[in-house]
Amino acid sequence: MKTKATDTQQRDKLFTAVNTAVTYLLQSEVGQFENSLWRGMGVLAAAVNADRVRLWRNYRINKKLYCTQLYEWSEGAEPSQGKKITVEVSYDDDLPGWQEKLTKNECINSIVSKMPADKQKRFLAQGILSLLIVPVFLHNEFWGFVGFNDCHRERLFTADEESILRSASLLITNALMRNEMTQELTAALDKASAANQAKSQFLSSMSHEIRTPLNAIVGMTTIGKSASSIEKKDYAFEKIGIASTHLLGVINDVLDMSKIEANKFELSTVEFDFEMMIKKVVSVIAFRVNEKQQLFRMKLDPNIPQRLVGDDQRLAQVITNLLSNAVKFTPEGGTISLYARFMCDENDACKIEVKVTDTGIGISKEQQKRLFASFEQAENDTNRKYGGTGLGLAISRRIVELMDGKIWIESELGAGATFIFTVKLERASGESSEAESRPVFIEKTEPVRLLAVDDEQETLEFFKVFAQRTDLVCDTTADSREALKLLTGRTKYDLCFIDLRMPVMDGVALTRAITEALEVKPVIIIISAYDWNPIEQDARAAGVNGFLPKPLFVSDVVDCINKYLGVNKNAEGAAHKQAEEFPGRCILLAEDMEINREIVLTLLESARIEIDCAANGEEAVNLLKDAPQRYDMILMDVNMPVMDGLEATRLIRALDSKKAREIPIVAMTADVFKEDVKLCIEAGMNDHICKPIDFNEMLAKLKKYLK
Ligand code: ADP
């Protein structure tokens, strides 16, 4: 009777202990789990008179099973001491026979002194006299075990103890897993909410970025409409133009970013002239550099092949972004430099490095780490102070990576910044690995002699390299008095490049002195980064023949020499003029928005093209059906009521006439995703023009399809 009563009491005690332990674990708050685990294990240990409870987890390396201790409760220790990672313990090597037993879901219930001698050592060293090892299975897999140690008595744990501790062990393990999952979920939630916050921040700066130019456009339109003088109207138009271009830039960035996020950002490869690409970029940036009175330096390595194959527009976008940041984050009077150098040939491609340096506010090391991520700006108040969306560098990085390159930054807060990137581009066919010189067509038998006068060493260096590569002779000097001495000496110069702003005697004064001193003076070209218009009249009166803007490009210098000393001086200009007119040609324009029709009609006014308009696809099909021979080309909007451009194109191509099958159809659409363009081509169109319409792009398409 007595034994039974004791048994029942002991069982009750065990159940109560398990119940208490589970309550601790289930009620544990986030961040309090270890404490609850500790208390739970403690209660269980007390119920079975154990001195230690340990939780072990299995893992595999190369199919071999190991275990490691995750947690330990021991009498008198602190919860913070509970978390212990032991060295790896191999079942095969350190615990022979255990794996077989435990995987069969059997417990190990042993008195240490009765174990084989080699095993005894391991446990006696830890003061253990008896132990109960309870396997734990999760999702039908042997997950690990819980060990209960008695360091005071030699005994076997009772069947009741074994059975109840099995459930308790499973509960402990489950609670542990639940805690791990909660932690992972909390981390994921934190990450998501940080991303969410970044996007809200982005939306707010984006709204600001869009509103600013829109306000300017709306305001300037009102001013322009009510302005009485033509100058005031022009002023308003100019401001509207600048604000619109800026707005378009913001929208393009957002579009690019969404393409990148949707993994649909691709490059389109064409053959292009590297120097021409840089020239376009510089012409975009020059205005802002001048406005902030900054000094712009540039050096292009002559070893970079002239013609390359790649996405020149995307490359230009990266350089423009870096340069506009440099200008934006550099105070007035600072210096911005652009260097490009040929690095090496690598697997049929040449590796080029581009470096943009400024003397601006710089970026701390901490902030540099985040800069190339989307929506990131160095400081939180950057947007308020400088504007911008924080997308430019993320887009730039993607472009550079697509070109098999890298982009990085070297900077310190307050000490300016240098952005460097590399790209790999193919040489165009026919480009040898030897750098070639650009042609100079001069009909003189004696060598042509040039003189370059500039107080900036970099410019003189440019002319020296230029002369070597073109087989011309070029003397250089940084001193205008020295220049005058050279010119009035025995050597006869054909052409002088003279810097405008120099100490002692500026370019115009030097020209005046030359004109006075020489009966037959050389051709004189003023070179300068400053605006030519205000001084043109004075300069021409002093004897200046022409002007070349800085930074200097080899192609400009070659053109200039050809223009003043070469054959066919003005032929190219005349051909150019003629190329932009298409008399006798007729276009069918399908576009539902009246304002867009008006824009096309006005843009093409000077091209002398006849244009018939249709307000939807159906009208366009009917017009073409009625007079197929009348039209030379169709400009087709895509989204139109009644019948869209895709459907209209399909109907036109299906008409029973050779003309309808062959007439060039060019889509005009604001959808600039590659798939949209693909849809147009699949419907039977030949090409695509982006809206808002860029005059030069339109002209290029007209030339392609009408000439
Ligand atoms: P945006 O200029 O439109 O904000 P970017 O991605 O081009 O976006 O640049 C991200 C941020 O990097 C900028 O907001 C600025 O904080 C920092 N940054 C970029 N270029 C420079 C630079 N040359 N000098 C200092 N800070 C820069």
Side-chain angles (χ1 to χ4, degrees), residues 252-253 256-257 260 265-268 310-321 372 391-407 421-425:
N252 281 339
D253 272 3
D256 281 351
M257 205 59 225
I260 290 176
F265 192 79
E266 288 166 30
L267 300 182
S268 33
D311 193 329
D312 60 330
Q313 291 196 12
R314 290 300 186 185
L315 187 58
Q317 184 178 349
V318 178
I319 304 175
T320 309
N321 180 242
F372 293 99
L391 292 182
L393 288 176
I395 298 171
S396 299
R397 184 179 71 174
R398 186 74 197 119
I399 296 175
V400 166
E401 284 171 355
L402 283 174
M403 296 187 184
D404 209 3
K406 276 193 305 189
I407 181 163
F421 72 87
T422 58
V423 284
K424 284 186 200 155
L425 297 163

Side-chain angles (χ1 to χ4, degrees), residues 262-322:
N263 229 349
K264 285 186 179 145
F265 192 79
E266 288 166 30
L267 300 182
S268 33
T269 310
V270 290
E271 191 178 315
F272 70 97
D273 184 314
F274 186 80
E275 199 195 64
M276 288 301 161
M277 182 273 299
I278 297 279
K279 209 159 149 180
K280 271 191 213 152
V281 171
V282 171
S283 72
V284 171
I285 230 74
F287 174 72
R288 269 173 276 168
V289 173
N290 281 340
E291 218 175 31
K292 286 186 89 170
Q293 308 215 344
Q294 289 162 335
L295 182 64
F296 183 70
R297 292 177 186 280
M298 186 189 77
K299 201 163 164 188
L300 305 180
D301 183 348
N303 291 317
I304 296 176
Q306 191 186 334
R307 298 201 64 78
L308 292 161
V309 177
D311 193 329
D312 60 330
Q313 291 196 12
R314 290 300 186 185
L315 187 58
Q317 184 178 349
V318 178
I319 304 175
T320 309
N321 180 242
L322 298 185

Side-chain angles (χ1 to χ4, degrees), residues 321 325-326 328-329 358 361-363 371 376-379 382 387-394 417 419:
N321 180 242
N325 277 345
K328 182 155 100 178
F329 296 107
D358 65 57
I361 60 171
I363 309 163
L371 277 192
E376 288 285 3
Q377 296 185 318
E379 296 281 357
T382 301
T389 53
L391 292 182
L393 288 176
F419 283 84

Side-chain angles (χ1 to χ4, degrees), residues 34 266 377 397 519 523 565 666:
E34 273 183 19
E266 288 166 30
Q377 296 185 318
R397 184 179 71 174
E519 229 164 85
V523 173
L565 305 177
V666 176

